[in-house]
Amino acid sequence: MPVLELKDVHKSYRSHLSIRKHWVLRGLSLSIEPGEIFGFIGTNGAGKTTTIKLALGLIFPDAGSVTLFGQEGVPAEARRRVGFLPENPYLYDYLTGEEFLDFHARLFGIDAPTRRARVRELLGRVGLANRGDRQLRHYSKGMLQRIGLAQALINDPDLVILDEPMSGLDPIGRREVRDIILELKSRGRTIFFSTHILSDTEMICDRVGLLVRGSLKAVGRIDELVSRDIPYWEVALQGVKNGNLPCGQVVSRRDDRLLVRVESPADMHRILATLNGGGAQLVSVTPGRQSLEDLFIREARASAAVPAESPERHAR
Amino acid sequence: MLARINAIALNTFREAIRHRILYLLLIFAVAMISFAQILSLVTVGSEEKIIKDFGLATIDIFGVLTAVFIGIGLVSREIERRTVYTLLAKPLHRFEFILGKFAGLALTLVVNTSVMTAWFFLVLLLKGMFDANLAAAVLLLYFQFLLITAIAVLFSCLSTPILASVMTLALYVIGHLLWSLDLLAVRLTATWGKAFCRVLYLVLPNLGTFDIKGEVVHGVPIDAARIAWAAAYLVLYGSAILGTACALFERKELQ
């Protein structure tokens, strides 16, 4: 059973001065399976944060359903097994790190000795072991992000939802967050996070969902989404005396080393045929791989070319 | 449920106590109560009555100001600062959040009122003017603060702090002038006019219920039934206000 399921969800906003609806999500259907790391990527304003808020019951869909741990409509009890870190969290700046975590732990009904132990453990885990007694108003942005992450893990949740968890962190911090996410997965937890940083997604996600203007354009394993075909090969040659090649595009040239890009296997064979008798040697042949970024940009551009439709025709 | 409400209440109390405006108001209140002594020397009338009147009025005004200025931000500030997202992503019912915020400010007002009252009673004791009925007057003032807090919480759910403060203060003034609606009802001849006045009289908060300053200052004995009625009115009207706030907050979109 999926831990989180959105079925044909539509969500609109209406600005104060206008009666026109602005559709943020149009028929979004998504399901997150237990134990996976799911990366939610998308253009700015695509609706990623809106999706996360719907998943947590902070806002309500115009149409469609949201089911969390099998409970539709996200009642309070369904959130017992969830941890959440919002984007750019503002925290209670008059509280110390320890007081802040203790407060959130109380909301789960955790008893005092367990709370103390868990607060200590989590502060250590996010690298704030010696900063727990300082007020949050004295924390740097990176420290605030870490304490926010600690708060999201205070109840040892089965599902961790993170909205831009790497935001504001230096490379060391990002590596630490990635390690925490992988460690959570190794303990059977499910992680659902939204991000702009595609390299992080490629590194750790099992599945990815690409949201563009409120619609899910692609969802699945990264190797399924981006390796459908090999668009080009890169052939590295050495000892090429003159630069005349029958086909292909020279990507780089240094001394007598040449890197050539060819679009088809036939072109590749033509180049290899010219090597014989020319004194040149083949160094390597590497298939070009489409990256997640290529997919992202392609889908975003395709969507920008199509005018926005009202989803009412598709709803119900 | 109680543990969660308690956690929210204590956190709200902690925020209010660490808020500078609370200390400013307290300092002013203490100063004004002390000032009553000077005022009694330059005004015509019984020194005792002036000090008691002034002292109770000071506690009244500063308690109301505390209830309004902290109350109006209780919900709206959490939404504005987005701290409400991490809270409501927990297994916390929305009504528990509202009740916890209310309880936190109620606790803050206990501390606030106690400090002002302790100073006031000390001044009176030193002058040999203390009267036990004053405690009843302060108790009813505290009931009034609770009702105003409930109203401020309701408006905090509905709108921005500025609008909420204007509306809460307006209701405070109206609440002390409800006797005029009664008079108007008598003067009007049309039945619908009379009925309208009656409805307004019932719906608007009757803050006169909590005002026994005049009686206490003039030594009129206070009936226990009067205090019981004030408590009952607080519970009934306050529950209605808080219930409305909870209902409105239940389906509020937290953008």
Side-chain angles (χ1 to χ4, degrees), chain A residues 49-313:
Chain A
T49 299
T50 301
T51 306
I52 287 176
K53 285 188 192 170
L54 283 164
L56 292 163
L58 296 172
I59 58 179
F60 311 102
D62 293 359
S65 71
V66 180
T67 308
L68 181 64
F69 288 113
Q71 298 186 59
E72 197 182 322
V74 197
E77 267 314 297
R79 298 192 286 262
R80 187 162 286 281
R81 297 156 65 189
V82 177
F84 171 54
L85 173 64
E87 187 181 2
N88 293 324
Y90 287 85
L91 309 169
Y92 300 108
D93 59 3
Y94 55 90
L95 292 179
T96 66
E98 281 165 359
E99 284 172 342
F100 175 72
L101 291 181
D102 184 76
F103 167 54
H104 284 280
R106 280 177 191 251
L107 296 174
F108 289 98
I110 302 173
D111 62 86
T114 316
R115 277 202 314 262
R116 269 195 295 274
R118 199 163 296 170
V119 166
R120 226 182 352 249
E121 181 220 322
L122 277 168
L123 283 172
R125 210 157 148 209
V126 299
L128 290 173
N130 299 325
R131 313 284 177 85
D133 55 350
R134 293 175 69 185
Q135 281 185 323
L136 296 186
R137 71 173 92 239
H138 299 303
Y139 275 30
S140 67
K141 185 163 191 231
M143 289 164 75
L144 286 173
Q145 195 70 5
R146 288 164 198 261
I147 199 79
L149 184 59
Q151 161 279 132
L153 302 176
I154 197 75
N155 57 321
D156 194 19
D158 293 323
L159 170 64
V160 183
I161 299 180
L162 310 169
D163 198 352
E164 304 277 355
M166 319 293 191
S167 147
L169 294 178
D170 60 25
I172 299 171
R174 278 168 47 189
R175 160 79 147 260
E176 285 170 353
V177 171
R178 280 202 306 269
D179 289 344
I180 289 175
I181 292 176
L182 288 169
E183 190 259 337
L184 286 168
K185 182 189 152 94
S186 73
R187 291 197 286 122
R189 309 293 189 254
T190 310
I191 300 95
F192 176 73
F193 74 98
S194 76
T195 183
H196 281 124
I197 307 172
L198 300 181
S199 56
D200 289 334
T201 318
E202 284 177 317
M203 246 186 268
I204 61 176
C205 289
D206 298 314
R207 286 200 304 147
V208 148
L210 171 60
L211 195 69
V212 180
R213 284 169 66 181
S215 304
L216 206 57
K217 294 298 183 193
V219 61
R221 301 184 59 84
I222 296 178
D223 52 13
E224 288 168 0
L225 294 177
V226 297
S227 69
R228 288 195 190 110
D229 49 30
I230 298 174
Y232 60 85
W233 278 259
E234 283 188 348
V235 182
L237 303 166
Q238 182 154 16
V240 176
K241 296 207 175 45
N242 60 20
N244 293 334
L245 292 168
C247 54
Q249 180 198 357
V250 175
V251 174
S252 74
R253 183 197 300 270
R254 192 196 298 187
D255 300 328
D256 63 346
R257 268 190 168 241
L258 207 63
L259 189 65
V260 185
R261 181 177 290 198
V262 292
E263 306 277 300
S264 71
D267 285 349
M268 186 166 62
H269 291 304
R270 283 169 67 193
I271 289 194
L272 294 179
T274 63
L275 296 181
N276 297 329
Q281 280 177 316
L282 174 67
V283 176
S284 68
V285 175
T286 313
R289 211 176 67 90
Q290 233 197 4
S291 72
L292 201 54
E293 186 180 299
D294 295 323
L295 173 70
F296 186 109
I297 292 173
R298 193 182 68 215
E299 292 294 344
R301 281 191 183 148
S303 182
V306 174
E309 278 176 32
S310 161
E312 278 126 339
R313 277 186 266 155

Side-chain angles (χ1 to χ4, degrees), chain A residues 11 13 53 56-61 76-77 79-80 82 84-96 99 103-104 106-109 135 137 151 154, chain B residues 3-8 10-12 14-16 18 20 78 80-94 97 101 250-255:
Chain A
K11 180 67 187 166
Y13 291 123
K53 285 188 192 170
L56 292 163
L58 296 172
I59 58 179
F60 311 102
E77 267 314 297
R79 298 192 286 262
R80 187 162 286 281
V82 177
F84 171 54
L85 173 64
E87 187 181 2
N88 293 324
Y90 287 85
L91 309 169
Y92 300 108
D93 59 3
Y94 55 90
L95 292 179
T96 66
E99 284 172 342
F103 167 54
H104 284 280
R106 280 177 191 251
L107 296 174
F108 289 98
Q135 281 185 323
R137 71 173 92 239
Q151 161 279 132
I154 197 75
Chain B
R4 291 190 292 266
I5 294 176
N6 196 36
I8 302 279
L10 282 176
N11 190 48
T12 305
R14 202 160 21 193
E15 177 173 18
R18 294 180 191 183
R20 273 177 221 128
E78 294 245 21
E80 197 185 312
R81 283 204 242 129
R82 297 189 282 172
T83 45
V84 74
Y85 296 160
T86 42
L87 284 187
L88 291 180
K90 304 280 185 287
L92 176 75
H93 293 271
R94 291 198 181 195
F97 173 75
K101 298 303 273 180
E250 192 64 37
R251 295 302 292 181
K252 188 175 173 74
E253 297 258 316
L254 300 169
Q255 318 250 10

